[in-house]
Amino acid sequence: MARGTITPARAVFDGADGPSPAQEPGAVHQARADALPRARHVFVGGNGLPGRWQGRERFVVLETGFGLGSNFLVTWDAWRQDPVRCGRLVFVSVEKHPPRPEDLARAHAAGPLAALAGQLLERWPPLTPGLHTLSFDGGRVTLLLGLGDARPMLRELVLQADAFYLDGCVPAADGAPWDAYLLKSLARHAAPGATVSTWSAARSVRDELASAGFEVLQVPGLAGMPEMTTARFAPRHRPQRPAGREPLAPRALRAVILGAGLAGAACALALSREGLACTVVDALPGPAQASSGNPAGLFHGTVNPDDGPHARFNRAAALATQRLLAELGLPHQHGLLRLETRLALERMQGTAGYVETLSAAQASALAGTPLGHPAWFYPGGGAVDPAAYTRAMLDASAAELRLATPVAALREEAGAWALLDAAGGVVDRAALVVLAGGHGQLPLLGGLEGSVDSLVVQRGQLSHLPDATWCPGVPVAGDGYVIADGRGGVWCGATTQDGDLDPALRVADHTDNLTRYARLAGLSQVPQAPLAGRVGWRLIAPDRLPLIGGLAAPGPRAEQLRLQPRRPGLVICTAFASRGIGWAALAGRLVAALAVGSPRPLEAELLDAVDPLRFALRRQRRPGA
Ligand SMILES: Cc1cc2nc3c(=O)[nH]c(=O)nc-3n(C[C@H](O)[C@H](O)[C@H](O)COP(=O)(O)OP(=O)(O)OC[C@H]3O[C@@H](n4cnc5c(N)ncnc54)[C@H](O)[C@@H]3O)c2cc1C
């Protein structure tokens, strides 16, 4: 659903130059002098906060209309001030016209929440459509910012909200501030006992809330607003949640994660941020010694004119990687050039802050060699040492590591999963087990129907050229890729051989990699180099998206992924193909959200796009296809 571009709002300060009548509603944010007290009264107080979150593990707020962020900042501040606050605050806000960073800065610069606003600004995302996850206070506060039109965005959110802030305005045809569809959709997202508050006292709003199952109250507003509305979700019949969207391990306090590669480390980090104690089990003697042990690798988004699931998933993942690397303070190369060999520059369309278009001359200047093609430049992309990234995530997770511990089988037990060694002894057991063992875990998955069919194991070899004629100023990807090693050499790669399990470095593969290097560098001769490099394997699904989610519970198959019951306590997170660096951060977050039931960091359509049962469902719909 995230097609199109996001137009930032215009902010109006001090009541000056009010909105022009021609302006789309919501495209102008009024910086009000009373914004903070109003937010405290209408939204925080109106929803019974901070009292309602006290003693809870997690509290979820869903807001329509982020505006200049006052409601978020006031809520975050109230959470910080409260000694008996909930463990985690998740604030989800849907905004069609987000503010420009300079307006955000100006709106809060002189106010009491300037320091919090500063943190928000540091993490402010490029204005691309879809969900953006911003973390604060060590991951205990999350802002999930949904950029796009409220109606489709609300349809795509997967969450249960404890409080709704009905702000902004998405006018209905009859002039009401929100239409009936939008108000009804609140009920679909309401946790038991959820509350609503809004500045509006409109009759239509109250009637629609009542017909959506809310008990509505008329309460005093602030000065200049004699009345406002609050409501509590009290439906006559409790709505049935789709079985496939139920949390997989809502009560687990501990998780065992199979695999100490990028996937396992990212899951450990995200789960530990949700408060779970994590143990990571790996057959090898150290972390990141299988596919994630390459010396360097790229991460970046992708661009696709129709902004389909791949482009949207890759974009969300790349932005999540960029944010996590910054949070971890991990040194890496910033910026990445991807050559465009099919489109002319005039037909390429970038998005400020996410991907820029460069002419061949501009790209060549950045790369330090004539490239002969225009390029996409990803300022937030780059290159990183994947093993260092894996270790940094594991360190930040404080997970217990159980290395040199091969797992031979899985066994379902009452309320838990046990990992068994080759002799049938229990290696570990937990209410939540995450299968993040890359291609090495395939023998374990045979019995878990629908999870691993059609996956391909692909060999890949990287080559190292110690004294390179050309060391690019930023990593360059085209037909092959080149990453400077910081010592006058480059890593270039990589080969692709399906089903080939040969671990030995091959001269022919080096020649392949160096030939592509020479072509990118514009060299007439392929450099001769000593035999140095690394071999690894990629695990690839047919549609080249990862497998992240729950596996099918025994029993009849549902016709939609969202309705398919899952095996409790088991999540798979694998098939990272050639994008493990760029996907890990988002994948880990998603695993944690699926396990504990916190708001999913991806839209429903993308949850289905990475669901491990998608191939089984497609086959069921088209037998023989
Ligand atoms: C040549 C090459 C170049 C690449 N370049 C890039 C790049 O530029 N950018 C990018 O993003 N990605 C790149 N990739 C892909 C990336 O390396 C992978 O997607 C990523 O490493 C996969 O991580 P993982 O954690 O899923 O798997 P792994 O790193 O393989 O980790 C899985 C771990 O699980 C353990 N394990 C498995 N089964 C068991 C068991 N039964 N018992 C105990 N332990 C078990 C393994 O020992 C292993 O440590 C490249 C891959 C190759 C091969």
Side-chain angles (χ1 to χ4, degrees), residues 129-164:
L131 288 172
H132 296 260
T133 306
L134 316 185
S135 288
F136 305 91
D137 286 333
R140 285 176 304 141
V141 174
T142 302
L143 170 62
L144 197 59
L145 204 51
L147 301 187
D149 196 59
R151 293 182 189 97
M153 185 58 79
L154 284 171
R155 201 168 44 232
E156 289 287 319
L157 290 177
V158 179
L159 57 81
Q160 286 207 30
D162 300 297
F164 295 95

PDB file of all heavy atoms in Angstrom, residues 129-164:
ATOM      1  N   PRO A 129       7.214   6.453   2.313  1.00  0.00           N
ATOM      2  CA  PRO A 129       5.962   5.890   2.810  1.00  0.00           C
ATOM      3  C   PRO A 129       6.180   4.596   3.574  1.00  0.00           C
ATOM      4  O   PRO A 129       7.140   3.877   3.329  1.00  0.00           O
ATOM      5  CB  PRO A 129       5.159   5.621   1.529  1.00  0.00           C
ATOM      6  CG  PRO A 129       6.056   5.847   0.384  1.00  0.00           C
ATOM      7  CD  PRO A 129       7.311   6.485   0.869  1.00  0.00           C
ATOM      8  N   GLY A 130       5.284   4.311   4.517  1.00  0.00           N
ATOM      9  CA  GLY A 130       5.356   3.055   5.262  1.00  0.00           C
ATOM     10  C   GLY A 130       5.702   3.292   6.723  1.00  0.00           C
ATOM     11  O   GLY A 130       5.688   4.422   7.209  1.00  0.00           O
ATOM     12  N   LEU A 131       6.022   2.201   7.410  1.00  0.00           N
ATOM     13  CA  LEU A 131       6.289   2.268   8.851  1.00  0.00           C
ATOM     14  C   LEU A 131       7.762   2.510   9.128  1.00  0.00           C
ATOM     15  O   LEU A 131       8.621   1.867   8.531  1.00  0.00           O
ATOM     16  CB  LEU A 131       5.860   0.957   9.517  1.00  0.00           C
ATOM     17  CG  LEU A 131       4.361   0.729   9.638  1.00  0.00           C
ATOM     18  CD1 LEU A 131       4.058  -0.682  10.130  1.00  0.00           C
ATOM     19  CD2 LEU A 131       3.754   1.756  10.594  1.00  0.00           C
ATOM     20  N   HIS A 132       8.026   3.405  10.060  1.00  0.00           N
ATOM     21  CA  HIS A 132       9.395   3.686  10.496  1.00  0.00           C
ATOM     22  C   HIS A 132       9.450   3.436  12.000  1.00  0.00           C
ATOM     23  O   HIS A 132       8.638   3.992  12.742  1.00  0.00           O
ATOM     24  CB  HIS A 132       9.757   5.148  10.239  1.00  0.00           C
ATOM     25  CG  HIS A 132       9.757   5.515   8.785  1.00  0.00           C
ATOM     26  ND1 HIS A 132      10.899   5.606   8.041  1.00  0.00           N
ATOM     27  CD2 HIS A 132       8.745   5.794   7.936  1.00  0.00           C
ATOM     28  CE1 HIS A 132      10.604   5.937   6.800  1.00  0.00           C
ATOM     29  NE2 HIS A 132       9.296   6.062   6.707  1.00  0.00           N
ATOM     30  N   THR A 133      10.418   2.633  12.437  1.00  0.00           N
ATOM     31  CA  THR A 133      10.529   2.348  13.868  1.00  0.00           C
ATOM     32  C   THR A 133      11.672   3.163  14.457  1.00  0.00           C
ATOM     33  O   THR A 133      12.820   3.001  14.047  1.00  0.00           O
ATOM     34  CB  THR A 133      10.827   0.855  14.102  1.00  0.00           C
ATOM     35  OG1 THR A 133       9.830   0.091  13.428  1.00  0.00           O
ATOM     36  CG2 THR A 133      10.794   0.513  15.576  1.00  0.00           C
ATOM     37  N   LEU A 134      11.372   4.032  15.398  1.00  0.00           N
ATOM     38  CA  LEU A 134      12.408   4.828  16.059  1.00  0.00           C
ATOM     39  C   LEU A 134      12.459   4.409  17.524  1.00  0.00           C
ATOM     40  O   LEU A 134      11.424   4.326  18.188  1.00  0.00           O
ATOM     41  CB  LEU A 134      12.088   6.325  15.976  1.00  0.00           C
ATOM     42  CG  LEU A 134      11.598   6.880  14.629  1.00  0.00           C
ATOM     43  CD1 LEU A 134      11.453   8.391  14.715  1.00  0.00           C
ATOM     44  CD2 LEU A 134      12.525   6.528  13.502  1.00  0.00           C
ATOM     45  N   SER A 135      13.675   4.127  18.018  1.00  0.00           N
ATOM     46  CA  SER A 135      13.823   3.637  19.401  1.00  0.00           C
ATOM     47  C   SER A 135      14.438   4.701  20.292  1.00  0.00           C
ATOM     48  O   SER A 135      15.358   5.402  19.868  1.00  0.00           O
ATOM     49  CB  SER A 135      14.799   2.464  19.444  1.00  0.00           C
ATOM     50  OG  SER A 135      14.224   1.370  18.892  1.00  0.00           O
ATOM     51  N   PHE A 136      13.955   4.746  21.519  1.00  0.00           N
ATOM     52  CA  PHE A 136      14.486   5.697  22.505  1.00  0.00           C
ATOM     53  C   PHE A 136      14.671   4.959  23.828  1.00  0.00           C
ATOM     54  O   PHE A 136      14.095   3.888  24.044  1.00  0.00           O
ATOM     55  CB  PHE A 136      13.500   6.855  22.704  1.00  0.00           C
ATOM     56  CG  PHE A 136      13.144   7.554  21.416  1.00  0.00           C
ATOM     57  CD1 PHE A 136      12.059   7.144  20.670  1.00  0.00           C
ATOM     58  CD2 PHE A 136      13.923   8.598  20.936  1.00  0.00           C
ATOM     59  CE1 PHE A 136      11.731   7.768  19.474  1.00  0.00           C
ATOM     60  CE2 PHE A 136      13.605   9.233  19.744  1.00  0.00           C
ATOM     61  CZ  PHE A 136      12.510   8.819  19.013  1.00  0.00           C
ATOM     62  N   ASP A 137      15.431   5.585  24.711  1.00  0.00           N
ATOM     63  CA  ASP A 137      15.634   5.029  26.056  1.00  0.00           C
ATOM     64  C   ASP A 137      15.982   3.546  26.010  1.00  0.00           C
ATOM     65  O   ASP A 137      15.332   2.706  26.659  1.00  0.00           O
ATOM     66  CB  ASP A 137      14.391   5.287  26.936  1.00  0.00           C
ATOM     67  CG  ASP A 137      14.306   6.750  27.356  1.00  0.00           C
ATOM     68  OD1 ASP A 137      15.358   7.412  27.431  1.00  0.00           O
ATOM     69  OD2 ASP A 137      13.195   7.240  27.600  1.00  0.00           O
ATOM     70  N   GLY A 138      17.000   3.232  25.208  1.00  0.00           N
ATOM     71  CA  GLY A 138      17.499   1.857  25.136  1.00  0.00           C
ATOM     72  C   GLY A 138      16.478   0.869  24.616  1.00  0.00           C
ATOM     73  O   GLY A 138      16.541  -0.310  24.958  1.00  0.00           O
ATOM     74  N   GLY A 139      15.555   1.336  23.793  1.00  0.00           N
ATOM     75  CA  GLY A 139      14.574   0.434  23.195  1.00  0.00           C
ATOM     76  C   GLY A 139      13.320   0.274  24.042  1.00  0.00           C
ATOM     77  O   GLY A 139      12.400  -0.439  23.643  1.00  0.00           O
ATOM     78  N   ARG A 140      13.234   0.959  25.205  1.00  0.00           N
ATOM     79  CA  ARG A 140      12.030   0.795  26.033  1.00  0.00           C
ATOM     80  C   ARG A 140      10.897   1.693  25.538  1.00  0.00           C
ATOM     81  O   ARG A 140       9.733   1.469  25.845  1.00  0.00           O
ATOM     82  CB  ARG A 140      12.354   1.052  27.509  1.00  0.00           C
ATOM     83  CG  ARG A 140      13.125  -0.144  28.097  1.00  0.00           C
ATOM     84  CD  ARG A 140      13.546   0.085  29.514  1.00  0.00           C
ATOM     85  NE  ARG A 140      14.338   1.297  29.613  1.00  0.00           N
ATOM     86  CZ  ARG A 140      14.262   2.160  30.615  1.00  0.00           C
ATOM     87  NH1 ARG A 140      13.422   1.953  31.600  1.00  0.00           N
ATOM     88  NH2 ARG A 140      15.030   3.232  30.644  1.00  0.00           N
ATOM     89  N   VAL A 141      11.251   2.707  24.775  1.00  0.00           N
ATOM     90  CA  VAL A 141      10.218   3.547  24.144  1.00  0.00           C
ATOM     91  C   VAL A 141      10.388   3.432  22.631  1.00  0.00           C
ATOM     92  O   VAL A 141      11.488   3.591  22.105  1.00  0.00           O
ATOM     93  CB  VAL A 141      10.345   5.022  24.582  1.00  0.00           C
ATOM     94  CG1 VAL A 141       9.370   5.911  23.828  1.00  0.00           C
ATOM     95  CG2 VAL A 141      10.118   5.129  26.079  1.00  0.00           C
ATOM     96  N   THR A 142       9.302   3.113  21.971  1.00  0.00           N
ATOM     97  CA  THR A 142       9.346   2.969  20.515  1.00  0.00           C
ATOM     98  C   THR A 142       8.314   3.893  19.904  1.00  0.00           C
ATOM     99  O   THR A 142       7.161   3.922  20.356  1.00  0.00           O
ATOM    100  CB  THR A 142       9.007   1.512  20.115  1.00  0.00           C
ATOM    101  OG1 THR A 142       9.940   0.652  20.741  1.00  0.00           O
ATOM    102  CG2 THR A 142       9.081   1.319  18.608  1.00  0.00           C
ATOM    103  N   LEU A 143       8.742   4.617  18.896  1.00  0.00           N
ATOM    104  CA  LEU A 143       7.793   5.388  18.091  1.00  0.00           C
ATOM    105  C   LEU A 143       7.691   4.693  16.743  1.00  0.00           C
ATOM    106  O   LEU A 143       8.681   4.572  16.014  1.00  0.00           O
ATOM    107  CB  LEU A 143       8.297   6.831  17.910  1.00  0.00           C
ATOM    108  CG  LEU A 143       7.526   7.688  16.907  1.00  0.00           C
ATOM    109  CD1 LEU A 143       6.068   7.863  17.327  1.00  0.00           C
ATOM    110  CD2 LEU A 143       8.184   9.071  16.760  1.00  0.00           C
ATOM    111  N   LEU A 144       6.508   4.208  16.443  1.00  0.00           N
ATOM    112  CA  LEU A 144       6.274   3.565  15.146  1.00  0.00           C
ATOM    113  C   LEU A 144       5.493   4.571  14.314  1.00  0.00           C
ATOM    114  O   LEU A 144       4.313   4.806  14.566  1.00  0.00           O
ATOM    115  CB  LEU A 144       5.471   2.284  15.390  1.00  0.00           C
ATOM    116  CG  LEU A 144       5.403   1.233  14.313  1.00  0.00           C
ATOM    117  CD1 LEU A 144       6.788   0.739  13.946  1.00  0.00           C
ATOM    118  CD2 LEU A 144       4.576   0.043  14.834  1.00  0.00           C
ATOM    119  N   LEU A 145       6.183   5.159  13.376  1.00  0.00           N
ATOM    120  CA  LEU A 145       5.609   6.259  12.609  1.00  0.00           C
ATOM    121  C   LEU A 145       5.128   5.706  11.262  1.00  0.00           C
ATOM    122  O   LEU A 145       5.938   5.210  10.478  1.00  0.00           O
ATOM    123  CB  LEU A 145       6.738   7.275  12.396  1.00  0.00           C
ATOM    124  CG  LEU A 145       6.436   8.723  12.138  1.00  0.00           C
ATOM    125  CD1 LEU A 145       5.491   9.301  13.172  1.00  0.00           C
ATOM    126  CD2 LEU A 145       7.759   9.511  12.148  1.00  0.00           C
ATOM    127  N   GLY A 146       3.830   5.772  11.045  1.00  0.00           N
ATOM    128  CA  GLY A 146       3.279   5.255   9.787  1.00  0.00           C
ATOM    129  C   GLY A 146       3.019   6.418   8.848  1.00  0.00           C
ATOM    130  O   GLY A 146       2.074   7.184   9.060  1.00  0.00           O
ATOM    131  N   LEU A 147       3.865   6.570   7.839  1.00  0.00           N
ATOM    132  CA  LEU A 147       3.713   7.703   6.933  1.00  0.00           C
ATOM    133  C   LEU A 147       2.845   7.291   5.750  1.00  0.00           C
ATOM    134  O   LEU A 147       3.181   6.371   5.007  1.00  0.00           O
ATOM    135  CB  LEU A 147       5.087   8.197   6.457  1.00  0.00           C
ATOM    136  CG  LEU A 147       6.041   8.644   7.569  1.00  0.00           C
ATOM    137  CD1 LEU A 147       7.305   9.272   6.978  1.00  0.00           C
ATOM    138  CD2 LEU A 147       5.362   9.620   8.537  1.00  0.00           C
ATOM    139  N   GLY A 148       1.745   7.990   5.614  1.00  0.00           N
ATOM    140  CA  GLY A 148       0.825   7.687   4.514  1.00  0.00           C
ATOM    141  C   GLY A 148      -0.591   8.025   4.943  1.00  0.00           C
ATOM    142  O   GLY A 148      -0.832   8.461   6.075  1.00  0.00           O
ATOM    143  N   ASP A 149      -1.515   7.800   4.032  1.00  0.00           N
ATOM    144  CA  ASP A 149      -2.915   8.101   4.267  1.00  0.00           C
ATOM    145  C   ASP A 149      -3.466   7.237   5.408  1.00  0.00           C
ATOM    146  O   ASP A 149      -3.197   6.035   5.468  1.00  0.00           O
ATOM    147  CB  ASP A 149      -3.677   7.820   2.970  1.00  0.00           C
ATOM    148  CG  ASP A 149      -5.036   8.446   3.001  1.00  0.00           C
ATOM    149  OD1 ASP A 149      -5.112   9.664   3.152  1.00  0.00           O
ATOM    150  OD2 ASP A 149      -6.026   7.692   2.908  1.00  0.00           O
ATOM    151  N   ALA A 150      -4.226   7.860   6.311  1.00  0.00           N
ATOM    152  CA  ALA A 150      -4.650   7.140   7.528  1.00  0.00           C
ATOM    153  C   ALA A 150      -5.513   5.925   7.229  1.00  0.00           C
ATOM    154  O   ALA A 150      -5.355   4.882   7.863  1.00  0.00           O
ATOM    155  CB  ALA A 150      -5.408   8.094   8.444  1.00  0.00           C
ATOM    156  N   ARG A 151      -6.402   6.026   6.268  1.00  0.00           N
ATOM    157  CA  ARG A 151      -7.342   4.903   6.080  1.00  0.00           C
ATOM    158  C   ARG A 151      -6.610   3.630   5.676  1.00  0.00           C
ATOM    159  O   ARG A 151      -6.724   2.616   6.362  1.00  0.00           O
ATOM    160  CB  ARG A 151      -8.421   5.285   5.070  1.00  0.00           C
ATOM    161  CG  ARG A 151      -9.333   6.388   5.584  1.00  0.00           C
ATOM    162  CD  ARG A 151     -10.423   6.718   4.577  1.00  0.00           C
ATOM    163  NE  ARG A 151     -11.151   7.901   4.980  1.00  0.00           N
ATOM    164  CZ  ARG A 151     -10.902   9.128   4.529  1.00  0.00           C
ATOM    165  NH1 ARG A 151      -9.928   9.328   3.662  1.00  0.00           N
ATOM    166  NH2 ARG A 151     -11.614  10.156   4.949  1.00  0.00           N
ATOM    167  N   PRO A 152      -5.850   3.638   4.563  1.00  0.00           N
ATOM    168  CA  PRO A 152      -5.139   2.395   4.224  1.00  0.00           C
ATOM    169  C   PRO A 152      -4.102   2.009   5.269  1.00  0.00           C
ATOM    170  O   PRO A 152      -3.896   0.829   5.527  1.00  0.00           O
ATOM    171  CB  PRO A 152      -4.471   2.698   2.878  1.00  0.00           C
ATOM    172  CG  PRO A 152      -4.566   4.163   2.689  1.00  0.00           C
ATOM    173  CD  PRO A 152      -5.689   4.661   3.530  1.00  0.00           C
ATOM    174  N   MET A 153      -3.481   2.992   5.904  1.00  0.00           N
ATOM    175  CA  MET A 153      -2.448   2.667   6.896  1.00  0.00           C
ATOM    176  C   MET A 153      -3.073   1.939   8.089  1.00  0.00           C
ATOM    177  O   MET A 153      -2.534   0.951   8.580  1.00  0.00           O
ATOM    178  CB  MET A 153      -1.761   3.962   7.340  1.00  0.00           C
ATOM    179  CG  MET A 153      -0.602   3.778   8.278  1.00  0.00           C
ATOM    180  SD  MET A 153       0.709   2.744   7.642  1.00  0.00           S
ATOM    181  CE  MET A 153       1.566   3.880   6.572  1.00  0.00           C
ATOM    182  N   LEU A 154      -4.232   2.392   8.533  1.00  0.00           N
ATOM    183  CA  LEU A 154      -4.880   1.726   9.672  1.00  0.00           C
ATOM    184  C   LEU A 154      -5.261   0.292   9.309  1.00  0.00           C
ATOM    185  O   LEU A 154      -5.186  -0.615  10.128  1.00  0.00           O
ATOM    186  CB  LEU A 154      -6.123   2.506  10.120  1.00  0.00           C
ATOM    187  CG  LEU A 154      -5.816   3.774  10.906  1.00  0.00           C
ATOM    188  CD1 LEU A 154      -7.087   4.594  11.122  1.00  0.00           C
ATOM    189  CD2 LEU A 154      -5.196   3.443  12.266  1.00  0.00           C
ATOM    190  N   ARG A 155      -5.638   0.098   8.047  1.00  0.00           N
ATOM    191  CA  ARG A 155      -5.996  -1.263   7.610  1.00  0.00           C
ATOM    192  C   ARG A 155      -4.774  -2.178   7.681  1.00  0.00           C
ATOM    193  O   ARG A 155      -4.877  -3.355   7.936  1.00  0.00           O
ATOM    194  CB  ARG A 155      -6.509  -1.173   6.169  1.00  0.00           C
ATOM    195  CG  ARG A 155      -7.355  -2.340   5.755  1.00  0.00           C
ATOM    196  CD  ARG A 155      -8.077  -2.092   4.447  1.00  0.00           C
ATOM    197  NE  ARG A 155      -7.244  -1.493   3.423  1.00  0.00           N
ATOM    198  CZ  ARG A 155      -7.558  -0.415   2.740  1.00  0.00           C
ATOM    199  NH1 ARG A 155      -8.672   0.222   2.990  1.00  0.00           N
ATOM    200  NH2 ARG A 155      -6.747   0.061   1.810  1.00  0.00           N
ATOM    201  N   GLU A 156      -3.612  -1.612   7.458  1.00  0.00           N
ATOM    202  CA  GLU A 156      -2.390  -2.419   7.364  1.00  0.00           C
ATOM    203  C   GLU A 156      -1.690  -2.610   8.705  1.00  0.00           C
ATOM    204  O   GLU A 156      -0.771  -3.417   8.806  1.00  0.00           O
ATOM    205  CB  GLU A 156      -1.415  -1.750   6.388  1.00  0.00           C
ATOM    206  CG  GLU A 156      -1.848  -1.840   4.935  1.00  0.00           C
ATOM    207  CD  GLU A 156      -1.665  -3.239   4.382  1.00  0.00           C
ATOM    208  OE1 GLU A 156      -0.643  -3.861   4.674  1.00  0.00           O
ATOM    209  OE2 GLU A 156      -2.558  -3.726   3.678  1.00  0.00           O
ATOM    210  N   LEU A 157      -2.092  -1.849   9.715  1.00  0.00           N
ATOM    211  CA  LEU A 157      -1.412  -1.999  11.009  1.00  0.00           C
ATOM    212  C   LEU A 157      -1.842  -3.293  11.683  1.00  0.00           C
ATOM    213  O   LEU A 157      -3.019  -3.652  11.650  1.00  0.00           O
ATOM    214  CB  LEU A 157      -1.762  -0.830  11.931  1.00  0.00           C
ATOM    215  CG  LEU A 157      -1.185   0.538  11.570  1.00  0.00           C
ATOM    216  CD1 LEU A 157      -1.692   1.595  12.552  1.00  0.00           C
ATOM    217  CD2 LEU A 157       0.338   0.505  11.582  1.00  0.00           C
ATOM    218  N   VAL A 158      -0.881  -3.967  12.298  1.00  0.00           N
ATOM    219  CA  VAL A 158      -1.214  -5.163  13.081  1.00  0.00           C
ATOM    220  C   VAL A 158      -0.793  -4.864  14.517  1.00  0.00           C
ATOM    221  O   VAL A 158       0.410  -4.862  14.831  1.00  0.00           O
ATOM    222  CB  VAL A 158      -0.503  -6.412  12.531  1.00  0.00           C
ATOM    223  CG1 VAL A 158      -0.847  -7.631  13.381  1.00  0.00           C
ATOM    224  CG2 VAL A 158      -0.899  -6.648  11.075  1.00  0.00           C
ATOM    225  N   LEU A 159      -1.772  -4.577  15.350  1.00  0.00           N
ATOM    226  CA  LEU A 159      -1.484  -4.203  16.737  1.00  0.00           C
ATOM    227  C   LEU A 159      -2.760  -4.198  17.553  1.00  0.00           C
ATOM    228  O   LEU A 159      -3.860  -4.222  17.011  1.00  0.00           O
ATOM    229  CB  LEU A 159      -0.842  -2.807  16.790  1.00  0.00           C
ATOM    230  CG  LEU A 159      -1.603  -1.632  16.170  1.00  0.00           C
ATOM    231  CD1 LEU A 159      -2.678  -1.089  17.098  1.00  0.00           C
ATOM    232  CD2 LEU A 159      -0.636  -0.517  15.851  1.00  0.00           C
ATOM    233  N   GLN A 160      -2.586  -4.171  18.855  1.00  0.00           N
ATOM    234  CA  GLN A 160      -3.711  -3.958  19.767  1.00  0.00           C
ATOM    235  C   GLN A 160      -3.366  -2.760  20.621  1.00  0.00           C
ATOM    236  O   GLN A 160      -2.386  -2.791  21.379  1.00  0.00           O
ATOM    237  CB  GLN A 160      -3.896  -5.174  20.650  1.00  0.00           C
ATOM    238  CG  GLN A 160      -4.493  -6.320  19.888  1.00  0.00           C
ATOM    239  CD  GLN A 160      -5.267  -7.244  20.813  1.00  0.00           C
ATOM    240  OE1 GLN A 160      -5.821  -6.833  21.828  1.00  0.00           O
ATOM    241  NE2 GLN A 160      -5.289  -8.498  20.468  1.00  0.00           N
ATOM    242  N   ALA A 161      -4.156  -1.714  20.494  1.00  0.00           N
ATOM    243  CA  ALA A 161      -3.846  -0.465  21.194  1.00  0.00           C
ATOM    244  C   ALA A 161      -4.599  -0.402  22.520  1.00  0.00           C
ATOM    245  O   ALA A 161      -5.754  -0.815  22.619  1.00  0.00           O
ATOM    246  CB  ALA A 161      -4.220   0.720  20.325  1.00  0.00           C
ATOM    247  N   ASP A 162      -3.919   0.142  23.528  1.00  0.00           N
ATOM    248  CA  ASP A 162      -4.545   0.351  24.830  1.00  0.00           C
ATOM    249  C   ASP A 162      -5.170   1.735  24.916  1.00  0.00           C
ATOM    250  O   ASP A 162      -6.046   1.967  25.746  1.00  0.00           O
ATOM    251  CB  ASP A 162      -3.491   0.205  25.938  1.00  0.00           C
ATOM    252  CG  ASP A 162      -2.867  -1.169  25.910  1.00  0.00           C
ATOM    253  OD1 ASP A 162      -3.590  -2.155  26.125  1.00  0.00           O
ATOM    254  OD2 ASP A 162      -1.646  -1.273  25.631  1.00  0.00           O
ATOM    255  N   ALA A 163      -4.660   2.659  24.108  1.00  0.00           N
ATOM    256  CA  ALA A 163      -5.210   4.019  24.120  1.00  0.00           C
ATOM    257  C   ALA A 163      -5.143   4.585  22.703  1.00  0.00           C
ATOM    258  O   ALA A 163      -4.170   4.350  21.988  1.00  0.00           O
ATOM    259  CB  ALA A 163      -4.402   4.901  25.067  1.00  0.00           C
ATOM    260  N   PHE A 164      -6.191   5.291  22.336  1.00  0.00           N
ATOM    261  CA  PHE A 164      -6.223   5.951  21.022  1.00  0.00           C
ATOM    262  C   PHE A 164      -6.208   7.457  21.235  1.00  0.00           C
ATOM    263  O   PHE A 164      -6.991   7.970  22.043  1.00  0.00           O
ATOM    264  CB  PHE A 164      -7.494   5.584  20.261  1.00  0.00           C
ATOM    265  CG  PHE A 164      -7.596   4.121  19.902  1.00  0.00           C
ATOM    266  CD1 PHE A 164      -8.282   3.244  20.725  1.00  0.00           C
ATOM    267  CD2 PHE A 164      -7.012   3.633  18.753  1.00  0.00           C
ATOM    268  CE1 PHE A 164      -8.378   1.901  20.407  1.00  0.00           C
ATOM    269  CE2 PHE A 164      -7.103   2.288  18.427  1.00  0.00           C
ATOM    270  CZ  PHE A 164      -7.786   1.416  19.252  1.00  0.00           C
TER     271      PHE A 164
END
